Structure formats: C-alpha cells, structure tokens
Amino acid sequence: MSTINLITPGGQGLPGVPLIQYKSLEFRVWHFPTSQMYAVAYFTTVGIYPYTNAEKQSIAVEPFERKDCMLMQFSGVCDAKGVKIFEGNILYWRHYDERENELFEAWHEVTFGHGCFGTLSKNGDFDPFYVLNLGDVIVGNIFENTSLTRRCRI
C-alpha cells in the first residue's frame, strides 16, 4: 500500500490534511472456455493476463480474450473467516434466535451497484456492505456453485 500527501494545484501539501492511502486493486477472472477461476496479474484493452499458478509467480504469455471472461473485483471486505470477498461470491448467513426458537439463514450474491459493493437478496434488493452481517461466510461463487446461485435467486 502506498501513501501520498494531498497536493494543491500549486504543488504544496495542505496542513492538517491526512495522508491518502491507496489500496491496490485486486481482480480475478472466470474463464468460460476452461471453466476455471484465475487471479489476474493485469489487463489491457487487448485482453486479460492471468497468473498461471496459485503462488502468483508466473503470468500467462497470451491473454484471455475479454469476450471469454467475466472480470471480478475484490470488494475490500473480508468474510467472518478473513477470506477476501469478490464480486460473484455467494455469502451464507445463519442466526438462531433463542427468544423465538427459530433459525434464520440466507444466501446472498455479491455484486457492485449504486456506486458500492453489496449483496443481492432473493427479492432483488441491493444491500450495501455497510449492512453486512458479521457472521457472513463465503460458501462459493456464481460460476462454480450454480445450485447455491439458485438459492440466492429463488
């Protein structure tokens, strides 16, 4: 993560203004022809260059064509287990209400909308991540777990 001072048009820093911190953007890609998810090294107008190994040490020589891919961004949020949440993930939440003696559970698809990351509920409502339940965990994604996707949408 890099930091810079906020600079005015005259080239001077502003007194009392905190440093701006930029987080690195992280992407992954679903490649339809191979039905596999890849971490993305970088992408250009030509195509998407995935890492070819889990250690992210080797980058593909030939890019994936954009038409063959679904590019997804890291939301900046982690689930209850500390796993990074990306667009396309499916989150599961459950809560037992002792007073009502009832178990509540829900599956939500992660998406980007209204200028922020959040989840879609079964009825299509968008909930920004500021209402994310602390117990949410990733249980899959919309490409590899189509049965879970149906639970989010039915």
Side-chain angles (χ1 to χ4, degrees):
M1 185 166 7
S2 58
T3 59
I4 63 165
N5 285 313
L6 185 60
I7 305 296
T8 63
Q12 302 296 315
L14 295 174
V17 176
L19 293 175
I20 297 172
Q21 294 191 353
Y22 292 96
K23 290 185 177 182
S24 60
L25 297 176
E26 194 170 331
F27 294 87
R28 69 180 186 184
V29 65
W30 179 256
H31 188 237
F32 291 105
T34 61
S35 296
Q36 288 189 326
M37 191 77 71
Y38 296 88
V40 172
Y42 63 96
F43 54 93
T44 67
T45 55
V46 175
I48 300 169
Y49 292 82
Y51 288 105
T52 57
N53 58 12
E55 295 79 29
K56 298 182 180 179
Q57 296 172 336
S58 180
I59 299 172
V61 176
E62 293 294 320
F64 291 154
E65 291 186 41
R66 286 180 172 264
K67 67 178 179 59
D68 294 335
C69 300
M70 175 64 71
L71 190 64
M72 295 163 279
Q73 186 176 348
F74 170 50
S75 67
V77 178
C78 294
D79 73 359
K81 295 180 179 179
V83 179
K84 292 178 178 180
I85 299 174
F86 282 82
E87 291 176 271
N89 279 139
I90 297 171
L91 302 179
Y92 172 72
W93 172 82
R94 69 183 282 166
H95 171 73
Y96 177 72
D97 187 332
E98 291 179 9
R99 287 185 285 150
E100 299 290 327
N101 192 27
E102 192 171 352
L103 176 66
F104 298 94
E105 55 184 10
W107 290 263
H108 300 283
E109 179 183 334
V110 177
T111 189
F112 186 86
H114 306 287
C116 62
F117 290 97
T119 58
L120 286 177
S121 63
K122 282 186 178 184
N123 61 4
D125 288 341
F126 178 80
D127 292 319
F129 271 159
Y130 67 82
V131 294
L132 182 69
N133 294 305
L134 296 177
D136 283 346
V137 292
I138 297 170
V139 292
N141 65 64
I142 60 174
F143 299 105
E144 296 170 315
N145 309 96
T146 54
S147 62
L148 291 176
T149 304
R150 284 192 287 277
R151 283 197 135 151
C152 295
R153 297 179 181 167
I154 295 175

